Amino acid sequence: RHIMTDVSRGDTSSASAALAGPSPFGECLPDVPPPLVPPLGVFSRMATLGVVAGFSKFIVSVLNKATTSNYETLLHHMTERKRPQGMITVSNHSSTFDDPGVLSFLIPWWYFATEPKHEGVRWTICTAEICAASPAVHAFFTAGKTVPINRGGGLHQATLTAMADRIAKGDWVHVFPEGKVSKNANELGRLKWGLGKLLCDVDEVGGLAPVVIPFWHSGMDSVKKYGRWGFWPFNRVHVTVGTPIDFTDLTRKCKKCDTQKKKEALYAAMMKRTEAEMRVTREKNLRERQEV
């Protein structure tokens, strides 16, 4: 399962802090960034991304039917944005297979195949108890551009700082702002503050403001049922890509927050805006399912 970060109101140190590391495979140390380069480098990355993408696309769009709306917005920013502007995508989390399932469906084959050239395939964050369970498991997830974070570890974790650094350098990071899989399909739980921390960290290190795109997917809870093994065919998965969210008026306040209370209020405002846009996108998704 994927997790953004805990709502714990811990220290929110800037991304400008010096980073040591990386941590050893099989460990997720709160003050040490995770490894970003897998053993065997680009070979293991391409092999992992290729196999996982192929399997995921088969499950989502061959065994099941997958459709999208407003996909051109995501594709444009995925493949044509002027880097070093980064990108963050946010979505609901209704299945343990949302990523890689939905994300592999949304990323074109040609973009996977040209990863060594652009290094633009998404990064994502996963709870350490799953993706750092052993050195071998950790290496596999790293090859698939997935980094571990400690559940309940709060905002002050080196993994978030490392991901903010990747965004500031022009990369794409996908997050599940609920921080956990929802047991109730098409319900949006309380959003955690990790996205706000990422946005401020990028701003504080001088990175360009990333484009932030919400999308809502439905049907994945039937493809991969909660708490059960295996995949179920003959379902419809529908993804609605929303409108990019403008945080300019909020991110300009990041460096002005000189107290913890002000910083928390800013994160809360960012997540309130995110929640509103995700709810709008959800309503479009549910209408579209009924219309087709």
Side-chain angles (χ1 to χ4, degrees):
R1 293 180 296 178
H2 291 74
I3 181 167
M4 183 56 239
T5 187
D6 191 78
V7 293
S8 175
R9 274 48 169 172
D11 182 0
T12 56
S13 297
S14 167
S16 60
L19 294 179
S23 63
F25 286 108
E27 296 185 29
C28 183
L29 306 176
D31 298 325
V32 182
L36 302 181
V37 179
L40 303 181
V42 67
F43 174 79
S44 57
R45 175 145 293 162
M46 291 303 295
T48 301
L49 289 176
V51 170
V52 173
F55 175 77
S56 300
K57 286 176 178 289
F58 177 76
I59 294 295
V60 173
S61 56
V62 177
L63 291 185
N64 295 278
K65 179 181 179 181
T67 56
T68 64
S69 69
N70 194 32
Y71 175 65
E72 61 277 4
T73 294
L74 176 62
L75 183 63
H76 169 76
H77 288 288
M78 182 195 310
T79 62
E80 299 181 34
R81 74 181 184 281
K82 294 182 179 180
R83 298 166 77 177
Q85 183 185 35
M87 181 169 78
I88 303 174
T89 50
V90 295
S91 75
N92 58 311
H93 202 3
S94 62
S95 162
T96 55
F97 195 60
D98 291 343
D99 192 349
V102 175
L103 272 296
S104 292
F105 164 65
L106 293 173
I107 300 172
W109 263 123
W110 69 263
Y111 202 63
F112 278 116
T114 53
E115 166 69 7
K117 179 179 179 180
H118 54 71
E119 297 183 342
V121 170
R122 67 91 189 94
W123 288 94
T124 193
I125 302 171
C126 171
T127 178
E129 63 193 58
I130 300 296
C131 63
S134 71
V137 169
H138 193 172
F140 170 77
F141 276 97
T142 300
K145 302 186 77 171
T146 301
V147 293
I149 197 167
N150 288 300
R151 184 188 299 275
L155 292 174
H156 182 44
Q157 296 193 56
T159 291
L160 285 178
T161 305
M163 288 298 96
D165 181 67
R166 297 316 312 167
I167 296 166
K169 292 178 179 177
D171 284 4
W172 167 20
V173 174
H174 179 75
V175 298
F176 296 100
E178 295 170 277
K180 62 181 181 180
V181 176
S182 174
K183 296 181 181 180
N184 300 311
N186 295 318
E187 292 294 328
L188 183 63
R190 183 163 61 95
L191 305 189
K192 301 182 179 182
W193 290 354
L195 173 62
K197 178 69 160 55
L198 287 174
L199 290 172
C200 277
D201 280 356
V202 171
D203 179 77
E204 289 171 12
V205 298
L208 296 174
V211 59
V212 181
I213 301 178
F215 66 83
W216 191 276
H217 59 85
S218 54
M220 284 300 294
D221 58 303
S222 297
V223 174
K224 178 66 174 68
K225 299 180 186 294
Y226 187 88
R228 300 179 66 180
W229 289 95
F231 300 94
W232 274 255
F234 313 125
N235 300 288
R236 182 190 174 199
V237 175
H238 182 59
V239 183
T240 300
V241 178
T243 302
I245 308 172
D246 184 4
F247 288 99
T248 304
D249 60 316
L250 297 177
T251 53
R252 67 165 58 109
K253 299 178 182 179
C254 291
K255 297 175 183 177
K256 300 177 181 179
C257 293
D258 53 3
T259 67
Q260 181 69 19
K261 185 175 181 180
K262 290 180 180 179
K263 186 77 80 171
E264 291 176 357
L266 181 59
Y267 293 160
M270 290 174 170
M271 300 321 298
K272 182 177 181 180
R273 183 170 300 178
T274 303
E275 178 181 353
E277 291 300 322
M278 289 184 70
R279 291 189 182 280
V280 168
T281 308
R282 178 189 64 179
E283 294 309 310
K284 290 181 179 178
N285 180 277
L286 298 181
R287 285 200 305 270
E288 290 164 355
R289 286 189 70 94
Q290 295 177 347
E291 293 170 356
V292 177

